Structures are given as C-alpha cells and as structure tokens.
Amino acid sequence: MSAMSIGQPLPRVDGRAKVTGAARYAAEFDQPDQAYAVIVTSTVGLGRVTGIDTEEAARLPGVIAIISHQNAPRLPYREHKGFIDPASGERLHVLQDEQVRFFGQPVAVAVAETLDQAEHAALAVRVAYEARTPATRIESAETVAPSEADSARGDADAALLQAPVRIDATYGIARENHNPMEPHATVAAWDGDRLTLWSKSQFVVNEQAEIAAVFGLPAENVRVVCPFIGGAFGTALRVWPHVTLAALAARQVGRPVKLVLTRRQMFYTTGHRPRTAQRIALGADRDGRLSALIHEGTGETSRYERFVEALTTVAPYLYSCPNVRTRYRLAPLDSSTPTFMRGPGEASGIFALECALDELAVELGIDPIELRRRNEPAIDEGENRPFSSRSLVACYEAGAARFGWERRDPRPGSMRDGRMLVGWGTATATYPVFRAPASARARLMPDGTAEVETAASDMGPGTYTSMTQVAADALGLSPSQVRFQLGRSDFPPTPPHGGSMTMASVGSAIHAACLAVLDQAIERTTSDDRSALRGVPAGSVEVRDGRLSLRDDRARSQSYAEIVALGDGRPIEAEASSAAGDERQRFSMHAFGAVFVEVAVDPDLGMVRVRRAVGAYGAGRIVNPRLAHSQCIGGMVGGIGMALMEQTALDARDGRPVNASMADYLVPVNLDIGTLDALFVEEHDPHVNPLGVKGLGEIALVGMAPAIANAVFHATGRRVRDLPIRIENLL
Ligand code: MOS
C-alpha cells in the first residue's frame, strides 16, 4: 500500500480557497440581471394581517414587486416527508394566508434592482394586524407527548423513595440561536420550469426535494448548489421559508433573485435550540451506586410542527442502574419551529444529568470521576446489548492526567489564585454513532488522477479534506491526486450533513465507490492483451502510488493513466452506495468523552471565565487529528457559550426576540475562551462501520456546559441549575 493518508494531520485542502476568497458562499453566486429581495416580517406575535398598504413602497425607485399573501400565487405545497422533517405537523406555508403564527414571520417580500432599494421598500410596506398575545413560556403551556416519549426499566419512583441518598432537582436551559458567521442566503434562478438554487444548506438533496414539493415540480427540475458553508451548527439542516420566498420572488419577477437574511431575521425563522426544563432524580447507596434514575424533560416546539430531539435518551445507557425512568414532553408555543443545534438533545439532557451526578458526588464526598467509575455499566442496560466499544473510563483517565485532576482540593471555594476563586469541574460527554445510506461517484482520469463526487456538505469540519484522504487511500493515490467535490444535488445523494454521521455514511460510500472503480481498472488491465498484467488473477493485484502491480513481481505493473488509455482514454467511472447493516441490532454504538474545565470566578463581580478545558474522547478512528482537534475545540467554544452567555430572550407581550443582534446575543470571543485542548484515546471499533469512525461534530459540545457549571460550584459553592450562568446568579 501507499503511505496511508488516513490518520495524518493533513491541512485543509480547501484552506487556500477559503483564505484567498476563492471559496464561494451562497450569497456570492451573483447571476446576470439579478434582482434583490428583502423580507418584511410580522411585528406581532400572533394574530392575522388585516391589511397591507404597498402604495408608497411600490412607488420607490427601483422597486419591481411587493409580494404578499394578497397577490402571491397559491403554491402546491405537495406533501413531502423529508429525512428530518418534524414527525408530525405541517410546514409553514409562506404568503398563502393572513395568519400570523409567530413574531418575525414573513408577511411580504420586496423585490428591487438593488439591495438598498429593496431594503427601503421593505421598510415602507405598511402592514395592519389584529394581534393577540402569543404563548411563549413552556412553563404555562399544555404539553403533548411525542411518540416514544417515555421509557422505563424497574421501578425508579419506588427505588428513589427507598434510596439512602437522594438528589432531586430541576434544570433550565435558555433558548439559543445558532448564529453562524454566514447568514442564510439563497440565489434563485428559473429557466422555464427548471430552478437552480445557490443556497446555504447542510442537506442539498433534501432542499431539492422540499422545494420541488412546494412548487409542485419533479425533483429533477430543481438543482441546489452549496460548495461552502460559513458555519451552520444545525441551522441549515432543513429548509426555511426564505428559500421558498427567493424562488417565488424570482418566478414572479422573471429574473434571478438574491435573498440574504439579516442577522435579526436569523433569530426569527431559522430554528433555535429549544428552551428546556428538566428534572433529574437520583437515588444511590452510600458508596455511590445508583439505584434510581429519573429524567423528565420538556422542550418547546411550534404550534404548527413538532420538533423532537434526544433530550432524555442518554439516561438509559450512560450508567449502570436497575431502575430508570424517562419522560419527554413538548410544549407547543406561538413560535417558529426549533431545530437541531450542535449536540442537539444530548447536550441539553446531559447538562441536567451530569450536574446531578456532581451534586451526588458532593453529597457523598466521593470524587466525581470515582463516582462515575463505580457506575460504569458492562453493557447498555437500556437496550440490553453490548457496546460496540466504550472508552469512558479511559477518557476520564487520560483527561484527568492531562488536566492534572489529582491536584484538585474537593472543598468548594478552597482553590484560589490571588483574589480569584478557582474551580475545577468535570462531566461526561456522549453521542450516538449514526449512519444513513449514502452514495458517491469516483472517476479515474486520463492523467492518472481521480475525481470523486458526492452531494454531501462541508459546514466547517473539513469534509473536503477528510474525504480526500479516504479516497486517496482507497485508490493508492496521494491526496494531491484526488479532486473531491461536494454540495450539489445532482451529485450522488447523501444524508444530512449533521448528527456526526458524515464520515460514517459518506466516507463509507466514497470508500465503496473508489473500490468499485478500482475493480473496473483491475478488470480492464488483467483482460487486455496490451497490458503488462494480462491474465493475472485480480486477487494478486495490489495498488500503490497510482499503479496496479503484481504483488509478487512489482516489475509487472501499469499506471492508472496507462489503464485509462487502454480504454480509448475515457475516464473509468463507478458509483456506489453504502448503508448500515444489522450492527445497530447487535450493538449499542456511541462515542464517549470526559470534559475537564477550570474556571476563575471573581468573588466581587460574579464574572466567570473559562481558563482552560481538556476534552478526552473515544470516538473510534480519527481520520485527521488536526481537523479532529479543531472540531473538538470548536465544540468546546460552543459549550462555553451555552454555559455562560447564550440566550435568546423573548418579550412576553409579543414574542419578540429582544436581543436579536450580535451586540446583544453574546457568544464567546477570544478573551472568553482560555486554553482548550482535545485528546483522543485509542479506539478500534470493528462494528460501527467500515472506516471504524464514530463522528466528532456533536459530542464536542456535549458535556461542556455541565463541566463548567460543576466547576462554578467548585469555585463558589453555588449550584446554578439554569443556563446561561449569569453574574446575578453568583452575587
Ligand atoms: Mo448537527 S446539530 O446535526 O448540524
């Protein structure tokens, strides 16, 4: 074999394109004769539009059209069950009726020759409403049960009552918005009844299917292009109303239309981490062995769709416990629909669970790592299956050593640095290993290089690079000889670029496509009379350095270029699909990690700073350690935001997000972060997928918030159970 590329810290193959500006993002795909669209959003949180006065707006310079429910065509909105569409509910049908379901809902769109003119026109549209007060608090909403909302083994409530030691507490997490650097944007262009969308998307084939359904078109009439994404964290997994509006506006005015959301609009209709309220009850003996675990949680959703996430799914498998009960409810509010946000569900659920574990450790006077070790299960007791691999204890050991945990004085408030209170906290991270059907195409070119294509996205983890490594190894080429393309709906289909499943799913498909093209090359070179390898059994051919050669006599060999030339010089091409087998029925498959955090708390001002953090992860094979490290510390930054800063605050009178700007919605900046480190424990998992990977994107945020909250407790003796932890909680 050639020198393996997998496992090497290859720099990003698209790094140069990104830093030179050559990488094009959705809003940069300007089209000839393009017009600009700006959305007019509702200024009430519930009710109906009683009138739209467009007279002044329509007279402004450069205005081409003002489109509202009064003059928009009725769209077919064919039924469409996307991969991650809410299990039940209906899509928001934009500009189809006068109903206002949430603050910031699109009620009109202004189209003009320039962006400034479109913005001006949007401001001049006068909308009259009949308004009611929206329901915006999960505490006062009537909840509904999603399917498979509850689980139980043993009798957790009875066991809790009998337990010698009990923790029973409630936890709250604020609504958060993803706030990636790149705003959502779509450039839409029609050619007859064919539509091209240059659009920010983590799932281009779903956007294709969704928009085809909205407009009643065959899917092949819609093409979605998204080669680069400037961060997404889940907000671009599904299709939001602005994509429909861009396509609708382009069709109305008969020209290509560009629509870019403002930062404020990013808080209205592009999803958010749902606000949650949770209860954890733990029962244990004096040695810390769990006898009861109850996890109840409620998350917000919209009235028109049910958004379900994995809020309470970790409790049944994370620790050994004979009596476990979970309960999950949704609170429908007069709000837009939430969506997955980095570490979705697990990150929120584990905040409650891992804080409660820390509370139990304090109550018992047991080191928090030792407490987890005492409850380490031999199998997944929820599914009653073995783990495909589980390195939680190894993660705690490796992370503790790197962090220096043995120097921790367990007494709260006991560690100081000058006048600063110092706290050390830890928590478990975990995330399931997902894999969904995916396809890819590979092509050997006349010059001996390869092209590989798949519809996947790259929102930042380095998909371009890691997939190049997978293809290079499968074909015996160096990464520089592979040209990998993604982000087009006319490439072979892939699952959503989310749920940490891209490498497991798409990587496996690319591996399969490359082996299929290799088979063709071997077939050609062993059956052609002109070949040095004619008549050789396929099994005795090996691939290295862009050549096929006889294993026992390397002198007999042919290069890919020569093999392509044997067949008239036409590229050798193969497409392959790859899907999971029955491994999920046989094994419980999850990545695990242990997170360690040091905070400094100003005792007078209540300000918290994360000085350093260490995450140790058992995530299967690491395809590229440089990207993996970057991926993990990026997730940690998100976790710092979740723990200490991020919250979308709604005005109870009208549901308005009052801090819908980057000045008011706080995210961590360099000075908030300190030193972050990630390490990976060696893990060989033959069961998860052919590449042995578990995925990293989501787990990197999971566990960070409870580790910080536990560190804040250690520093101050204050147990804050509501995120974000604010100054006023510590004064
Ligand atoms: Mo991830 S929240 O599935 O983008």
Side-chain angles (χ1 to χ4, degrees):
M1 292 296 286
S2 315
M4 291 290 281
S5 170
I6 290 180
Q8 298 303 310
L10 192 69
R12 289 172 190 263
V13 298
D14 53 338
R16 187 180 176 83
K18 282 186 166 168
V19 299
T20 58
R24 283 174 91 189
Y25 296 81
E28 298 175 319
F29 283 90
D30 290 313
Q31 298 302 305
D33 196 33
Q34 161 185 292
Y36 294 80
V38 170
I39 296 174
V40 179
T41 54
S42 78
T43 54
V44 303
L46 183 65
R48 56 187 202 93
V49 174
T50 53
I52 297 192
D53 178 358
T54 61
E55 233 180 82
E56 184 198 338
R59 275 203 308 269
L60 290 170
V63 174
I64 304 167
I66 309 290
I67 308 167
S68 72
H69 75 279
Q70 292 177 340
N71 60 352
R74 297 290 85 100
L75 297 174
Y77 274 101
R78 223 166 45 201
E79 191 174 342
H80 163 64
K81 280 257 182 283
F83 186 87
I84 44 162
D85 270 5
S88 65
E90 51 187 73
R91 287 171 292 182
L92 185 71
H93 293 192
V94 278
L95 308 191
Q96 302 294 294
D97 61 38
E98 75 285 0
Q99 296 301 321
V100 174
R101 294 159 179 268
F102 57 89
F103 188 98
Q105 176 188 311
V107 292
V109 57
V111 190
E113 297 291 340
T114 70
L115 176 60
D116 290 341
Q117 290 168 335
E119 281 177 347
H120 192 186
L123 283 174
V125 174
R126 310 256 171 266
V127 185
Y129 302 92
E130 187 185 285
R132 287 179 286 142
T133 304
T136 57
R137 288 171 48 80
I138 58 175
E139 292 80 359
S140 45
E142 228 172 272
T143 60
V144 296
S147 56
E148 297 179 44
D150 303 338
S151 76
R153 67 171 179 262
D155 187 340
D157 296 276
L160 183 67
L161 287 175
Q162 289 158 12
V165 184
R166 282 192 284 270
I167 298 290
D168 198 336
T170 57
Y171 302 83
I173 301 175
R175 175 190 289 203
E176 297 167 43
N177 279 87
H178 305 69
N179 275 308
M181 295 256 270
E182 182 201 16
H184 278 280
T186 300
V187 178
W190 291 86
D191 177 8
D193 63 351
R194 304 185 80 83
L195 172 65
T196 301
L197 299 165
W198 293 269
S199 192
K200 172 169 180 156
S201 174
Q202 291 171 247
F203 196 8
V204 291
V205 292
N206 183 62
E207 183 152 325
Q208 171 191 35
E210 167 85 25
I211 295 299
V214 169
F215 286 86
L217 297 167
E220 62 268 23
N221 282 27
V222 179
R223 192 168 68 104
V224 180
V225 181
C226 181
F228 290 98
I229 297 176
F233 317 119
T235 181
L237 280 166
R238 65 172 291 192
V239 185
W240 302 110
H242 65 274
V243 183
T244 298
L245 291 174
L248 174 64
R251 204 171 69 173
Q252 282 300 95
V253 304
R255 291 164 60 174
V257 161
K258 180 198 282 194
L259 196 165
V260 183
L261 293 192
T262 64
R263 180 58 62 178
R264 185 169 298 279
Q265 289 171 344
M266 295 277 284
F267 287 78
Y268 296 159
T269 48
T270 65
H272 46 268
R273 188 192 297 283
R275 164 146 172 61
T276 50
Q278 301 179 70
R279 172 195 174 212
I280 299 278
L282 302 176
D285 65 18
R286 301 254 167 230
D287 293 329
R289 288 198 177 72
L290 290 171
S291 55
L293 169 47
I294 296 169
H295 189 174
E296 300 173 334
T298 302
E300 60 179 335
T301 188
S302 67
R303 290 230 194 262
Y304 56 94
E305 288 173 328
R306 290 189 181 175
F307 172 71
V308 172
E309 63 177 5
L311 185 65
T312 55
T313 56
V314 163
Y317 74 80
L318 196 54
Y319 299 115
S320 180
C321 181
N323 303 291
V324 179
R325 180 171 72 71
T326 70
R327 181 180 194 270
Y328 178 42
R329 292 293 178 272
L330 298 178
L333 302 176
D334 299 307
S335 154
S336 59
T337 310
T339 195
F340 304 101
M341 179 168 163
R342 201 157 190 185
E346 283 82 0
S348 300
I350 220 162
F351 164 67
L353 182 55
E354 288 298 293
C355 285
L357 255 288
D358 199 70
E359 297 188 43
L360 180 62
V362 171
E363 180 74 25
L364 293 165
I366 297 176
D367 177 79
I369 299 177
E370 176 58 25
L371 179 64
R372 285 159 178 97
R373 198 193 317 269
R374 288 183 191 178
N375 290 287
E376 174 71 6
I379 62 164
D380 178 334
E381 296 176 5
E383 295 186 351
N384 202 23
R385 281 192 261 271
F387 291 102
S388 63
S389 60
R390 174 174 165 125
S391 304
L392 181 58
V393 172
C395 288
Y396 269 112
E397 283 167 3
R402 177 78 60 96
F403 187 82
W405 185 260
E406 83 283 352
R407 297 195 308 275
R408 179 179 186 261
D409 182 333
R411 295 168 301 157
S414 64
M415 292 172 67
R416 283 184 177 252
D417 182 3
R419 49 182 286 279
M420 290 295 177
L421 296 164
V422 171
W424 289 5
T426 188
T428 298
T430 183
Y431 196 79
V433 181
F434 291 122
R435 182 181 174 196
S439 308
R441 186 156 49 223
R443 207 179 287 128
L444 283 174
M445 304 304 288
D447 63 357
T449 64
E451 292 183 351
V452 179
E453 299 164 350
T454 181
S457 300
D458 183 352
M459 66 172 144
T463 311
Y464 274 106
T465 309
S466 54
M467 297 300 167
T468 298
Q469 291 174 272
V470 171
D473 281 3
L475 292 170
L477 291 169
S478 75
S480 62
Q481 293 170 297
V482 175
R483 181 164 170 264
F484 173 65
Q485 282 191 281
L486 52 65
R488 270 173 43 182
S489 61
D490 52 351
F491 286 158
T494 53
H497 178 49
S500 289
M501 72 174 95
T502 297
M503 183 48 77
S505 312
V506 182
S508 299
I510 287 173
H511 186 73
C514 290
L515 294 187
V517 90
L518 194 58
D519 278 348
Q520 284 190 37
I522 292 172
E523 160 68 21
R524 181 178 292 182
T525 191
T526 56
S527 63
D528 192 300
D529 281 345
R530 297 163 292 174
S531 165
L533 292 168
R534 65 186 171 280
V536 159
S540 61
V541 173
E542 67 172 18
V543 53
R544 54 185 293 149
D545 301 333
R547 305 185 74 81
L548 299 182
S549 47
L550 188 57
R551 189 169 295 114
D552 301 328
D553 179 7
R554 293 240 178 93
R556 284 185 71 183
S557 79
Q558 282 217 285
S559 70
Y560 283 146
E562 290 163 348
I563 297 168
V564 173
L566 288 175
D568 310 334
R570 273 203 307 276
I572 305 175
E573 186 177 292
E575 190 171 324
S577 297
S578 164
D582 67 347
E583 57 271 15
R584 185 163 299 286
Q585 279 67 59
R586 294 185 291 127
F587 295 102
S588 171
M589 306 190 297
H590 304 268
F592 293 92
V595 183
F596 297 81
V597 168
E598 174 179 314
V599 298
V601 182
D602 186 314
D604 300 317
L605 302 178
M607 285 169 55
V608 181
R609 287 288 177 273
V610 173
R611 288 182 163 188
R612 61 192 183 100
V614 171
Y617 304 96
R621 193 178 193 189
I622 300 302
V623 172
N624 183 321
R626 183 195 302 246
L627 295 175
H629 189 267
S630 165
Q631 175 81 299
C632 286
I633 65 174
M636 290 178 186
V637 173
I640 294 171
M642 181 181 191
L644 300 176
M645 295 173 185
E646 296 187 53
Q647 60 171 328
T648 304
L650 304 182
D651 188 321
R653 294 168 302 178
D654 59 7
R656 174 197 312 256
V658 296
N659 58 337
S661 75
M662 293 311 291
D664 296 311
Y665 183 97
L666 304 183
V667 296
V669 297
N670 275 344
L671 279 174
D672 299 312
I673 293 169
T675 306
L676 306 180
D677 198 6
L679 58 111
F680 305 98
V681 303
E682 186 107 345
E683 198 175 66
H684 299 277
D685 190 323
H687 307 298
V688 278
N689 47 60
L691 294 167
V693 299
K694 287 187 169 177
L696 272 179
E698 313 284 6
I699 194 175
L701 191 143
V702 182
M704 199 60 189
I708 292 170
N710 295 341
V712 167
F713 173 81
H714 182 235
T716 64
R718 298 276 191 102
R719 183 62 69 177
V720 183
R721 300 188 183 90
D722 286 283
L723 297 185
I725 297 170
R726 287 152 302 149
I727 288 168
E728 53 267 40
N729 300 129
L730 299 173
L731 291 179

